[in-house]
Amino acid sequence: IGLLYQEYRDKSTRQEIETRRLQDSQTDPDESSPSEETPSEAEPTSTTESKAPPQISLLRNSNSRFNLWQDLPEIRSSGILSILQPDEIKLQEAMFELVTSEASYYKSLNLLVSHFMENERLKKILHQSEAHILFSNVLDVMAVSERFLLDLEQRVEENIVISDVCDIVYQHTVNHFSVYITYVSNQTYQERAYKQLLQDKPAFREVISQLELDPKCKGLSFSSFLILPFQRITRLKLLVQNILKKVEEKSDRETTALDAHKELETVVKACNEGVRKMSRTEQMISIQKKLEFKIKSVPIISHSRWLLKQGELQQMNGPKTSRTLRTKKLFREIYLFLFNDLLVICRQIPGDKYQVFDSAPRGLLRVEELEDQGQSLANVFILRLLENADDREASYMLKASSQSEMKRWMISLAPNRRTKFVSFTSRLVDCPQIQCVHPYLAQEPDELSLELADVLNILDKTDDGWIFGERLHDQERGWFPSSIGEEILNPKIRAQNLKECFRVHKSDDSQRRKLGSRNRQ
């Protein structure tokens, strides 16, 4: 495998985007190319590395320019392609990509260790504790990847037609992949330590820059190597999803793929929670210090509480029907802190402090949009607290700075209200869809970070360029700029995407139904 994982992953996702574009432009989705998630070609393997990655026998020729399963000389010469059904060939490609991408990932991990971590100059600059924070348990992660890759290699060597890979994924996820949770949970400390080292140690900055310039790194940054494990565990789940979409329904291979996906989902969720836990705790402590209570004090810090959204809004003074004043004096600034279970309403006071004058449980909030009543009342909505800090019902007429900001607040305050295109309780609706063609990093808690080729249902959109969407592969919801994606216009492709989504998550849905019936009983 000549490509570093960063290159492999980029080629793979861009190929996926192009395939979906091709499908979207056709009337029949089945007319599209069978190669959906595979990079176009690999480069010759470098022989300069100190430790060679495990080699898959089918890929040992370093001058090979293939990396589709059906392009392997052994496959072409066997005549098997004339016997297998097109769907089985697609499945073979999906399983083969899981194997080759793991080899590429191992190659990049090996470079992180041999080229950066074990560099003698870097070792002298870094204190042992700094090196530990920076590289964490990457040696454990690499050992797990090597063991996983060797088992996948052995399976590929058993037969030119791959029987299955998801059983191997399942075993390794259950028994070994906990090392990913440890590594990813350290990410916040890792990022902070890296920034601090760049700032405080010129010698560190110089060595890292020199190492990055080495041709082995192919122009990739040191930080792109550090985030590999998190990217891989997330991508691995998507690769299993891709296999799951192609296996025969109600078959043993479907059962195995569902089991592997479920275990990977558990690991990915634990990784995400590990990353969030530290930053959330720090954020809650910071907010607590800024609040002064005019009403009865509410304890802010809790292990089960986190911030969803914060910001300034304009509160309308006087009666709702007042239209006599058309100036900004009609409104007064207030500041909201919305947590997953609590709303705190404040006014900003000197010294970067906030005086709390009302609060309510999030479950007792209701919102209502006002129809446009002229410019001074544009982007205005009603917030009702069914039970506020004084145990009474209270209403606030609030004005946002833009249409998108108003909608974002309304959805955050009352998440179960119906959106423009689809009700949250209904998933069997053909709503608009979009695929991500430019990655996006969330800037606010109510936004969604997106990777290339992510597909989302569009739940709501604003006139000023924002979309509220639900990502199909994990049902995560959030806002993002409309400029990062392309809408999927073909209704057949949208229906196919939804069908595949339901199939991938059907075990989750059946589990939820069982829990729901137990709760009702």
Side-chain angles (χ1 to χ4, degrees):
I1 297 296
L3 295 174
L4 291 173
Y5 185 64
Q6 297 95 314
E7 301 171 295
Y8 191 109
R9 187 169 170 270
D10 186 58
K11 281 179 177 284
S12 175
T13 48
R14 292 194 183 281
Q15 179 69 33
E16 192 175 344
I17 287 169
E18 289 306 320
T19 300
R20 205 172 279 124
R21 280 174 176 160
L22 179 64
Q23 290 175 330
D24 198 28
S25 66
Q26 293 170 340
T27 37
D28 187 351
D30 293 331
E31 291 172 18
S32 61
S33 155
S35 56
E36 282 149 9
E37 287 195 19
T38 316
S40 54
E41 61 177 28
E43 298 170 8
T45 304
S46 168
T47 55
T48 58
E49 290 173 19
S50 58
K51 183 181 177 186
Q55 293 291 304
I56 297 169
S57 60
L58 293 172
L59 303 178
R60 278 191 184 134
N61 178 2
S62 63
N63 296 315
S64 297
R65 303 297 293 180
F66 56 72
N67 66 24
L68 287 181
W69 173 82
Q70 60 193 300
D71 288 338
L72 297 171
E74 292 86 343
I75 303 303
R76 289 209 170 278
S77 62
S78 69
I80 195 73
L81 293 174
S82 60
I83 300 168
L84 294 178
Q85 293 296 316
D87 286 349
E88 180 61 34
I89 293 173
K90 288 182 182 182
L91 175 58
Q92 291 295 313
E93 295 291 5
M95 292 191 288
F96 189 66
E97 187 191 359
L98 190 145
V99 180
T100 53
S101 63
E102 187 65 29
S104 178
Y105 167 62
Y106 180 85
K107 177 185 173 72
S108 288
L109 277 183
N110 184 66
L111 193 57
L112 171 61
V113 171
S114 63
H115 186 60
F116 290 99
M117 182 179 171
E118 293 177 353
N119 180 270
E120 291 302 325
R121 286 176 65 197
L122 209 55
K123 280 183 180 180
K124 288 174 184 174
I125 294 167
L126 292 176
H127 188 272
Q128 194 173 352
S129 61
E130 292 171 331
H132 178 68
I133 293 171
L134 201 56
F135 295 103
S136 190
N137 64 327
V138 70
L139 291 175
D140 295 335
V141 173
M142 192 168 78
V144 163
S145 174
E146 181 171 356
R147 195 182 303 131
F148 181 43
L149 182 55
L150 288 168
D151 283 353
L152 291 170
E153 172 195 320
Q154 188 177 351
R155 177 62 55 83
V156 171
E157 288 175 347
E158 285 174 4
N159 197 311
I160 56 169
V161 177
I162 307 166
S163 58
D164 198 0
V165 293
C166 288
D167 56 331
I168 298 172
V169 175
Y170 174 81
Q171 291 297 334
H172 281 262
T173 306
V174 170
N175 297 318
H176 307 298
F177 282 5
S178 59
V179 297
Y180 281 96
I181 302 170
T182 306
Y183 187 93
V184 174
S185 297
N186 182 55
Q187 192 172 304
T188 307
Y189 296 99
Q190 186 187 61
E191 288 172 359
R192 187 177 299 167
Y194 181 49
K195 285 177 185 174
Q196 202 67 44
L197 286 164
L198 287 174
Q199 189 177 312
D200 298 345
K201 293 192 174 185
F204 173 80
R205 192 166 61 242
E206 185 187 340
V207 172
I208 290 293
S209 297
Q210 287 175 359
L211 292 173
E212 286 175 337
L213 290 171
D214 192 296
K216 289 181 201 172
C217 295
K218 299 184 180 179
L220 296 163
S221 68
F222 174 54
S223 56
S224 78
F225 287 90
L226 288 177
I227 60 169
L228 284 170
F230 187 39
Q231 290 180 332
R232 180 56 183 169
I233 196 69
T234 309
R235 185 67 181 167
L236 198 55
K237 188 189 81 167
L238 297 182
L239 292 172
V240 169
Q241 280 189 8
N242 194 36
I243 292 169
L244 182 51
K245 293 168 188 175
K246 294 172 171 56
V247 293
E248 322 85 81
E249 292 200 45
K250 298 180 181 177
S251 65
D252 289 342
R253 288 199 290 193
E254 183 188 53
T255 303
T256 311
L258 283 167
D259 289 344
H261 181 265
K262 185 179 175 183
E263 293 301 327
L264 280 169
E265 189 97 71
T266 302
V267 172
V268 170
K269 281 180 180 175
C271 287
N272 286 328
E273 280 307 306
V275 171
R276 291 171 185 155
K277 191 174 180 182
M278 179 193 158
S279 56
R280 280 176 175 173
T281 304
E282 288 188 343
Q283 190 177 45
M284 297 302 285
I285 292 168
S286 172
I287 292 170
Q288 172 87 58
K289 288 176 181 175
K290 293 179 180 181
L291 299 183
E292 292 182 2
F293 284 83
K294 189 177 177 181
I295 56 171
K296 184 182 175 183
S297 180
V298 178
I300 295 297
I301 298 171
S302 163
H303 289 300
S304 58
R305 180 173 293 152
W306 60 87
L307 184 72
L308 294 180
K309 191 168 179 61
Q310 69 178 67
E312 188 178 89
L313 290 168
Q314 304 283 320
Q315 180 193 358
M316 181 178 180
N317 295 316
K320 294 180 191 177
T321 53
S322 172
R323 295 189 191 180
T324 55
L325 296 173
R326 296 289 178 182
T327 67
K328 287 187 176 179
K329 291 178 183 176
L330 196 64
F331 296 96
R332 183 179 177 186
E333 290 84 7
I334 64 170
Y335 202 93
L336 272 55
F337 289 96
L338 178 65
F339 305 100
N340 61 310
D341 62 346
L342 176 73
L343 171 68
V344 175
I345 306 177
C346 323
R347 286 200 172 87
Q348 194 160 7
I349 55 177
D352 195 26
K353 298 267 185 184
Y354 299 88
Q355 188 179 64
V356 180
F357 65 88
D358 210 349
S359 67
R362 187 177 176 224
L364 297 179
L365 304 176
R366 300 293 183 268
V367 293
E368 176 190 339
E369 186 176 352
L370 284 186
E371 290 185 16
D372 189 2
Q373 300 180 40
Q375 191 162 352
S376 66
L377 292 178
N379 308 319
V380 173
F381 67 97
I382 306 291
L383 169 63
R384 283 198 300 131
L385 283 55
L386 300 184
E387 189 177 297
N388 73 350
D390 297 325
D391 298 326
R392 293 186 307 208
E393 185 170 324
S395 287
Y396 294 90
M397 184 178 276
L398 303 174
K399 180 179 175 68
S401 58
S402 64
Q403 186 197 41
S404 59
E405 192 61 17
M406 178 189 72
K407 287 200 171 189
R408 286 169 70 160
W409 269 112
M410 290 178 73
I411 285 176
S412 295
L413 288 161
N416 293 321
R417 67 187 288 275
R418 187 178 176 86
T419 56
K420 184 173 181 179
F421 296 109
V422 65
S423 162
F424 282 132
T425 56
S426 169
R427 294 169 64 193
L428 297 169
V429 178
D430 176 29
C431 67
Q433 289 177 4
I434 191 168
Q435 77 161 332
C436 174
V437 295
H438 304 290
Y440 180 70
L441 184 64
Q443 305 298 309
E444 300 286 342
D446 65 338
E447 293 178 12
L448 192 61
S449 291
L450 298 177
E451 299 280 355
L452 285 173
D454 279 350
V455 177
L456 304 99
N457 279 336
I458 299 173
L459 303 177
D460 212 333
K461 60 166 62 172
T462 68
D463 296 336
D464 52 354
W466 284 84
I467 289 174
F468 183 64
E470 178 185 72
R471 187 164 46 212
L472 294 189
H473 77 71
D474 60 4
Q475 274 86 60
E476 288 282 324
R477 294 181 182 132
W479 290 90
F480 53 91
S482 56
S483 57
I484 60 90
E486 294 175 353
E487 229 175 289
I488 296 171
L489 303 175
N490 190 327
K492 288 187 178 180
I493 298 300
R494 293 198 299 268
Q496 180 180 300
N497 290 338
L498 278 180
K499 183 183 175 185
E500 290 173 349
C501 171
F502 297 151
R503 186 178 179 193
V504 165
H505 294 285
K506 71 180 178 182
S507 60
D508 301 340
D509 292 340
S510 62
Q511 200 67 22
R512 284 192 204 105
R513 283 195 292 273
K514 284 178 189 173
L515 286 170
S517 64
R518 277 196 215 119
N519 292 339
R520 286 192 293 274
Q521 289 166 8

